[in-house]
Amino acid sequence: MYSIGDIANIMGINTSAIRFYDRNGLLPFVQRDKAGRRKFKPEDLNFIEVIDCLKKSGVPVKDIAQFITLCMQGDQTLQERYDYLDDEEEKLSLKIEKMQTQLEFLQYKKWYYKTAIKEGTEDIHFLPNSRMIDPQTRNEFEEKRKVTADIHELTDL
Amino acid sequence: MYSIGDIANIMGINTSAIRFYDRNGLLPFVQRDKAGRRKFKPEDLNFIEVIDCLKKSGVPVKDIAQFITLCMQGDQTLQERYDYLDDEEEKLSLKIEKMQTQLEFLQYKKWYYKTAIKEGTEDIHFLPNSRMIDPQTRNEFEEKRKVTADIHELTDL
DNA sequence: TCTTGACTTAAACATTAGTTTAAGTCGTAT
DNA sequence: ATACGACTTAAACTAATGTTTAAGTCAAGA
């Protein structure tokens, strides 16, 4: 049996966050002792794992509560629960893909600043013919420049 | 020259969000026409791109404003700006890795429900000897079970 | 000329996700 | 026996990120 403090340690969060989750329907399965204190059973950790995963995946508390509601309804909702997780998997997958696109842009911008630092000024990216001396840097520049051009093409009106 | 509406279309957000960003220091570079309307220059799209990227990477508006402040200070902050983006790249990288861990857990849980649906009940995952008939399913089960065991080992007190 | 649509502001409102506070209840160690 | 730490609640509070509202300005087309 785990206390609310134990669960807070396991999840790496504050006990008041757990009480907040409880208020919002994420923990309908927790039992209480005579004094009214929450007592988590070892099996409850299966729920805690799922809640933790969905939270970390960016799923709103309200949505997680709906999934937990399905869980409490027994075997008749197994397919619904599968479908729900399938949806969340898809969403998370897309989110990761988008994050990777942002990562690539950050890497491009790092190159942008690296070359600017080398030349001592950001102007080289606006006046390509005036200051780019090193031919290797110049080639890198032209190649990367296409990336920005593509982005502009996508986002311009 | 782009109006606030143009920029809203480019970023796929509401014009009031852009005004909010402006109030919070993300757009110190925008000029106004005689009537006081925001006029974005084509070069301003470089800022818009970065802001968009950082927003999508989950960077708080306050932090982005600090970066933009550095941008407005000219070439003397090039190194600082590089270091800032380097930090954000690292953070985003870690975030993506964690997301991938959550994705794997979701995939495991999908398997968990898939097998439960096949047997008609979730009980198979708690009473492994009672209902698991198909030996192939049984083997999959045992293998995946180790995953949960590992997770418990990590999170248990 | 007059209307329409796009813009402007300040200020109020909404939502999400908690955190903090105040007042109180237990079980246990000294 | 009493003090301490961990728990309980309801309610107020905070922070981030916008959205909505109300009142007004302006340029362009019918």
Side-chain angles (χ1 to χ4, degrees):
Chain A
M1 288 291 197
Y2 304 94
S3 70
I4 194 172
D6 296 336
I7 301 297
N9 283 336
I10 288 170
M11 295 182 78
I13 59 176
N14 200 300
T15 56
S16 52
I18 295 178
R19 293 196 192 94
F20 170 78
Y21 296 157
D22 197 1
R23 274 202 301 288
N24 287 276
L26 264 58
L27 309 174
F29 51 84
V30 288
Q31 301 298 310
R32 306 292 187 115
D33 66 11
K34 292 147 256 166
R37 284 177 230 135
R38 289 171 187 81
K39 287 293 151 187
F40 294 76
K41 296 187 290 293
E43 314 92 87
D44 293 347
L45 288 180
N46 293 319
F47 283 112
I48 297 301
E49 266 176 13
V50 173
I51 291 168
D52 198 32
C53 171
L54 293 174
K55 285 245 80 231
K56 285 175 177 163
S57 302
V59 179
V61 170
K62 232 180 252 179
D63 295 7
I64 302 176
Q66 266 201 280
F67 176 75
I68 298 292
T69 299
L70 288 182
C71 290
M72 303 314 282
Q73 285 164 18
D75 289 333
Q76 81 218 37
T77 65
L78 284 171
Q79 184 68 51
E80 265 183 276
R81 286 187 255 167
Y82 178 89
D83 294 343
Y84 175 80
L85 293 186
D86 194 40
D87 280 4
E88 290 301 346
E89 190 208 340
E90 175 85 9
K91 284 188 212 165
L92 185 56
S93 226
L94 286 172
K95 199 183 279 188
I96 290 172
E97 272 176 45
K98 282 176 192 164
M99 294 287 213
Q100 252 142 5
T101 304
Q102 306 318 316
L103 191 63
E104 278 165 38
F105 185 77
L106 284 183
Q107 282 157 357
Y108 155 67
K109 267 299 177 185
K110 276 179 61 184
W111 167 84
Y112 170 101
Y113 280 120
K114 202 182 71 186
T115 54
I117 288 163
K118 215 181 290 180
E119 300 291 326
T121 178
E122 210 177 334
D123 292 350
I124 49 158
H125 295 294
F126 303 106
L127 309 165
N129 297 314
S130 67
R131 295 232 197 183
M132 296 291 278
I133 297 140
D134 172 15
Q136 201 211 322
T137 304
R138 183 61 180 264
N139 284 338
E140 277 181 56
F141 175 87
E142 294 298 346
E143 201 180 314
K144 294 282 182 172
R145 193 76 185 184
K146 281 179 208 144
V147 177
T148 14
D150 289 349
I151 292 165
H152 275 129
E153 209 167 323
L154 281 169
T155 56
D156 262 22
L157 286 182
Chain B
M1 288 293 196
Y2 304 93
S3 71
I4 194 173
D6 296 336
I7 300 297
N9 284 335
I10 287 169
M11 295 183 75
I13 59 175
N14 199 301
T15 55
S16 52
I18 294 177
R19 295 198 191 93
F20 169 78
Y21 296 156
D22 198 1
R23 273 202 301 289
N24 287 276
L26 264 58
L27 310 173
F29 51 84
V30 288
Q31 302 297 309
R32 306 289 187 117
D33 66 11
K34 292 148 256 164
R37 284 178 230 133
R38 289 171 187 82
K39 287 291 150 188
F40 294 76
K41 297 188 290 294
E43 315 92 86
D44 294 346
L45 289 180
N46 294 320
F47 283 113
I48 298 300
E49 267 175 13
V50 173
I51 290 168
D52 198 32
C53 171
L54 293 175
K55 285 246 81 226
K56 285 174 177 165
S57 303
V59 179
V61 169
K62 232 180 251 178
D63 295 7
I64 302 176
Q66 267 203 278
F67 176 75
I68 297 293
T69 300
L70 288 181
C71 290
M72 303 315 282
Q73 287 165 16
D75 288 333
Q76 82 219 37
T77 64
L78 285 171
Q79 185 66 50
E80 265 182 275
R81 285 186 257 169
Y82 176 89
D83 294 343
Y84 174 80
L85 294 186
D86 196 40
D87 280 2
E88 290 301 345
E89 190 207 342
E90 176 86 9
K91 284 188 210 166
L92 185 55
S93 229
L94 286 172
K95 199 183 279 191
I96 290 171
E97 271 176 45
K98 282 178 193 164
M99 294 284 213
Q100 252 142 5
T101 305
Q102 307 317 317
L103 191 63
E104 278 165 37
F105 185 78
L106 284 182
Q107 282 156 357
Y108 155 67
K109 267 298 177 183
K110 276 178 63 183
W111 167 85
Y112 170 102
Y113 281 121
K114 201 181 76 186
T115 53
I117 289 163
K118 214 182 291 179
E119 300 290 326
T121 180
E122 212 176 333
D123 292 350
I124 51 158
H125 294 296
F126 302 108
L127 309 166
N129 297 313
S130 67
R131 297 232 199 184
M132 296 290 278
I133 298 140
D134 172 16
Q136 200 211 323
T137 304
R138 181 61 180 263
N139 284 337
E140 278 180 56
F141 175 87
E142 293 299 347
E143 201 179 313
K144 293 282 181 169
R145 193 75 186 186
K146 283 179 209 141
V147 176
T148 14
D150 289 349
I151 292 165
H152 275 129
E153 210 166 322
L154 279 169
T155 55
D156 263 20
L157 285 181

